[in-house]
Amino acid sequence: MSAPLKVSPEPKYQKTKVVITKGDTLSTLFERLNISQQTLYEVLSADESILALETLKPNNVLIFKYFTKSHELQELELFVHAGHRVIYRRAEDGGIEYETLIQDGEWRTKLISGEINGSFYLSAQKAGLTEADAAVVTKIFKEQLNFARAIRQGDKFQVIRNEQFVDGKPTGQAHIVGARFQQKTNEYTAFLFDDGRFYGKQGHSLTRAFRRLPLQKSYRVSSHFNPRRKHPVTGRIRPHNGVDFATPTGTKIVSTGDGIVTRVGNHKFAGKYIDIRHSSKYKARYLHLHKINVHQGQPIKRGQIIALSGNTGRSTGPHLHFELHINGRPVDPLKAKIPLTRSLTKSDKTAFLKLVAMRTNMLDSALESEINKAHETMLAD
Ligand SMILES: [Zn+2]
């Protein structure tokens, strides 16, 4: 006789991990898991402050945790990469709250060297730079060097790239911190300073300064940046990650800096919006717009009119909601320390020149060891 079978109780929660593929939408994912559309709206409402779920990217991961029987959602985790996760959670009072988990981890430095053979883009890719890296290098030097005309076969370039590791694993996040382009008679150098801008080796800025505000006239601030604000419509504690200006619908909005449009969209609650990336450090966001004048991928100049303000999405009246993010975190755009002039202060310049010495040393010794290697190869031939 066999012992009676032990029946283990049905687990209370279920976890389902979904790797996003092209064409997936939140709506279809919720449907597939039989989680209500009402819950989806609650999640989207919580997401209004961060827009993390607004465009799901292939290979992003969503982890749903829900009651096995009722399919009621308890937690939804968006895993962008190990350094950037967002958790939406059912709060005790019933609504959905979010938490952003940002881990800086460790940035490792990598040096990439190459030689021009054909276009810069092709040569850069051959050396191991991404298309985005090549675009950054072209942009850094654009005031000094015409990459379409002034480069020659055999010109040398070196790029220093910082790559992010969290718990020893690469997150796929990387940015350029230095570059050098050497021609027979000219040399161009640029290094990233901790204010997020590139400077030449004597400390002259290669990037334009920011303007503080994205408006051509001054308008009353109707709501300040406030990490602990109560939402005016829902009454829940919901961080106000930007500053609101009481602009009438149709007011011209100008970009606060040079940059590139990374996202344009229309969110149920945030309305028509624009994301602009100014550098690896600074990002800006504009919500509740009436009309958008730019498209995704478009390069933008400081002061360029990018939109007209409006009252779209969930909004209590016409206004502009403007956000500034530094290293992935929203900051008060009225108070944040941002470069508003082109030149460095005296103490910053001293710090920058120290950095130049260190980085130049790194570039020179890499070049030397390459020359030695080439020499050895020649001897061996
Ligand atoms: Zn606002």
Side-chain angles (χ1 to χ4, degrees), residues 223 229 240-244 287-288 319-322:
S223 180
R229 180 185 71 154
H240 189 228
N241 288 332
V243 61
D244 291 349
L287 304 185
H288 306 300
H319 72 282
L320 170 69
H321 171 104
F322 168 54

Side-chain angles (χ1 to χ4, degrees), residues 107-111 160-163 165 177 359 362:
W107 291 86
R108 296 185 195 164
T109 299
K110 189 175 173 182
L111 195 133
I160 307 173
R161 189 167 67 187
N162 270 3
E163 299 175 351
F165 286 77
V177 297
R359 297 270 192 231
M362 182 180 176

Side-chain angles (χ1 to χ4, degrees), residues 110-144:
K110 189 175 173 182
L111 195 133
I112 297 154
S113 309
E115 209 175 283
I116 296 296
N117 186 4
S119 76
F120 173 64
Y121 266 83
L122 282 175
S123 317
Q125 271 170 336
K126 220 173 117 196
L129 292 172
T130 65
E131 233 175 278
D133 289 336
V136 170
V137 174
T138 314
K139 209 178 114 201
I140 299 171
F141 292 124
K142 72 167 188 273
E143 285 184 10
Q144 302 151 283

Side-chain angles (χ1 to χ4, degrees), residues 150-171:
I151 62 166
R152 299 282 172 266
Q153 175 106 359
D155 287 352
K156 286 186 164 46
F157 57 88
Q158 292 176 293
V159 170
I160 307 173
R161 189 167 67 187
N162 270 3
E163 299 175 351
Q164 189 187 33
F165 286 77
V166 171
D167 301 326
K169 288 189 195 118
T171 64

Side-chain angles (χ1 to χ4, degrees), residues 229-299:
R229 180 185 71 154
K230 259 197 182 160
H231 193 281
V233 176
T234 64
R236 302 182 57 76
I237 293 282
R238 185 65 42 82
H240 189 228
N241 288 332
V243 61
D244 291 349
F245 297 98
T247 52
T249 294
T251 305
K252 287 174 183 144
I253 309 300
V254 298
S255 175
T256 50
D258 293 353
I260 189 149
V261 178
T262 48
R263 199 160 61 151
V264 162
N266 194 353
H267 182 270
K268 186 175 170 60
F269 301 117
K272 290 186 183 169
Y273 69 89
I274 303 176
D275 275 355
I276 292 182
R277 183 184 187 275
H278 295 295
S279 67
S280 56
K281 186 168 178 173
Y282 302 105
K283 242 177 55 183
R285 175 169 291 168
Y286 304 84
L287 304 185
H288 306 300
L289 301 170
H290 173 64
K291 183 174 178 284
I292 292 174
N293 296 355
V294 294
H295 58 262
Q296 190 178 328
Q298 186 178 335

